[in-house]
Amino acid sequence: MASGLAISALFGAAPAQAQASADTLAAIRARGALICGVTGTTAGFSLPDSQGVMRGLDADSCRAVAAAIFGDANKIRFVNTTSQNRFTALQSGELDVLIRNTTWTLSREASLGFEFASVNFYDGQGFMVKKSLGVDSALKLDGATVCVQPGTTTELNLADYFRANAMKFTPVVIESIEEIRTAFNSGRCDAYTNDASSLAAFRATQTSPADYLLLPEIISKEPLGAVVRKGDWKFFDIVRWAHFAQVTAEELGMTSQNLQSFTDSNNPDVQRFMGRSGDLGKMLGLQPDWAVKIVQQVGNFGEMWERNITPLGVQRGINNLWTKGGLQYAPPMR
């Protein structure tokens, strides 16, 4: 889902200089499981399958962190959160990490006491209408009713966009993502605005996806990623480099299926990745093969994308590797 307002008063925010009150990594190990906050309701990102197993890009990003820490991606507990309670849940320690379509903004780091460790999806806010409305551009929505969730940057971006284009609109503000989608389907609003990825996920789950149109305008930058409490830099590093390990693996051509074939490689980058040199695991407080465990059990970044996002009909685009014109770029693992 799109990101939330960064106003401390609304969320009971901790001061920007606040430090994490505990050793998160030690607490996770003592508990025996990573607690990861997700939406639990968004196809392609975090949604239980028919067996009750949480599936999606965000869910797999959580699993990558668990695999790095425990060597076991299944040592994880998913907690469903809303746009309104996600930040207080992280601040209070109910969650170890939040990975639920949450946008990286200055105010969230400066006033809410958080740090964004990685970006697993470069997104932007869009609009969806039913084709029957006869509208093919957001600039033709003057006077429209628009479904939007409260407490989000989506709500702010919506107001800014209409004001900048001298248009009027009537917001239909609903907290629950499921209720807002029901309202849109029932005709309570002419348009539905959210991150384009979320709109695509919604369309993909409908009986007749062709009846819905994603308008071409993208009105914001929405880098979505993993959020941790400010101050616990050891845990921050693990969350950040779990993502970079998946990107690096894709850069090196490593997948969950061919990883074994790299065991005897003389490539120094591969040797460091496999934990055979460099002591990178020790630097992070992890086992030498922490990155190998991630790829074995979760896959590289491209595998995650193909498994979770491609079925939604979303192209990788700017989420591709930098070598293919995208923004996914991992610093050297050395």
Side-chain angles (χ1 to χ4, degrees):
M1 133 65 238
S3 11
L5 287 172
I7 299 177
S8 302
L10 289 179
F11 299 104
Q17 70 272 19
Q19 301 294 300
S21 60
D23 183 336
T24 306
L25 180 60
I28 292 168
R29 284 176 167 154
R31 186 192 308 125
L34 173 76
I35 301 178
C36 192
V38 295
T39 66
T41 59
T42 305
F45 290 87
S46 57
L47 183 71
D49 64 14
S50 59
Q51 304 300 313
V53 178
M54 193 69 74
R55 303 294 184 188
L57 186 74
D58 287 346
D60 281 348
S61 294
C62 296
R63 290 188 175 96
V65 178
I69 293 172
F70 294 108
D72 185 347
N74 293 317
K75 289 190 174 182
I76 191 165
R77 185 188 313 162
F78 292 105
V79 174
N80 292 359
T81 61
T82 69
S83 60
Q84 296 287 64
N85 70 18
R86 56 183 163 170
F87 295 136
T88 52
L90 182 59
Q91 287 167 341
S92 69
E94 179 184 346
L95 309 174
D96 299 316
V97 60
L98 177 69
I99 311 180
R100 70 159 318 278
N101 306 82
T102 297
T103 302
W104 186 353
T105 69
L106 181 153
S107 52
R108 285 174 177 169
E109 289 194 334
S111 69
L112 295 187
F114 299 142
E115 293 287 348
F116 281 76
S118 62
V119 176
N120 69 353
F121 197 106
Y122 290 94
D123 207 351
Q125 184 175 333
F127 295 89
M128 176 176 285
V129 297
K130 294 178 182 176
K131 287 186 177 179
S132 59
L133 187 65
V135 169
D136 60 5
S137 168
L139 294 172
K140 297 180 180 179
L141 290 175
D142 191 17
T145 53
V146 183
C147 281
V148 62
Q149 286 186 284
T152 63
T153 54
T154 305
E155 191 176 21
L156 291 176
N157 294 336
L158 173 64
D160 287 348
Y161 181 75
F162 273 78
R163 185 181 303 113
N165 288 285
M167 299 190 302
K168 296 181 179 179
F169 74 102
T170 300
V172 178
V173 181
I174 302 173
E175 162 64 18
S176 165
I177 190 73
E178 295 304 321
E179 290 181 14
I180 205 169
R181 291 170 174 176
T182 298
F184 174 61
N185 274 334
S186 69
R188 284 185 59 191
C189 46
D190 300 311
Y192 169 28
T193 187
N194 206 331
D195 291 344
S197 59
S198 181
L199 297 176
F202 164 69
R203 181 176 61 180
T205 61
Q206 300 307 294
T207 304
S208 301
D211 292 342
Y212 300 82
L213 178 65
L214 267 169
L215 299 180
E217 290 81 8
I218 298 296
I219 67 171
S220 71
K221 294 185 294 184
E222 306 291 338
L224 312 177
V227 194
V228 298
R229 289 180 294 279
K230 189 185 291 288
D232 191 339
W233 302 114
K234 179 166 61 175
F235 183 59
F236 170 87
D237 285 345
I238 291 170
V239 176
R240 164 169 281 184
W241 283 96
H243 171 73
F244 284 151
Q246 291 185 291
V247 175
T248 298
E250 186 178 5
E251 291 174 347
L252 293 171
M254 296 177 172
T255 72
S256 58
Q257 301 303 309
N258 70 9
L259 189 61
Q260 194 63 33
S261 68
F262 287 83
T263 301
D264 297 324
S265 172
N266 291 320
N267 182 329
D269 291 330
V270 171
Q271 290 181 340
R272 285 188 289 267
F273 189 97
M274 303 291 282
R276 293 166 54 196
S277 66
D279 288 332
L280 301 184
K282 183 178 181 181
M283 294 177 192
L284 291 170
L286 303 175
Q287 293 299 310
D289 62 348
W290 64 278
V292 171
K293 295 296 186 183
I294 293 174
V295 178
Q296 282 178 337
Q297 299 177 34
V298 187
N300 68 30
F301 185 77
E303 288 180 280
M304 281 207 311
W305 185 279
E306 290 297 320
R307 182 166 60 241
N308 299 302
I309 305 301
T310 296
L312 301 179
V314 177
Q315 300 298 313
R316 272 192 77 170
I318 60 173
N319 286 286
N320 223 318
L321 293 180
W322 64 284
T323 53
K324 298 181 179 179
L327 297 176
Q328 289 295 346
Y329 180 105
M333 291 181 64
R334 63 178 64 150

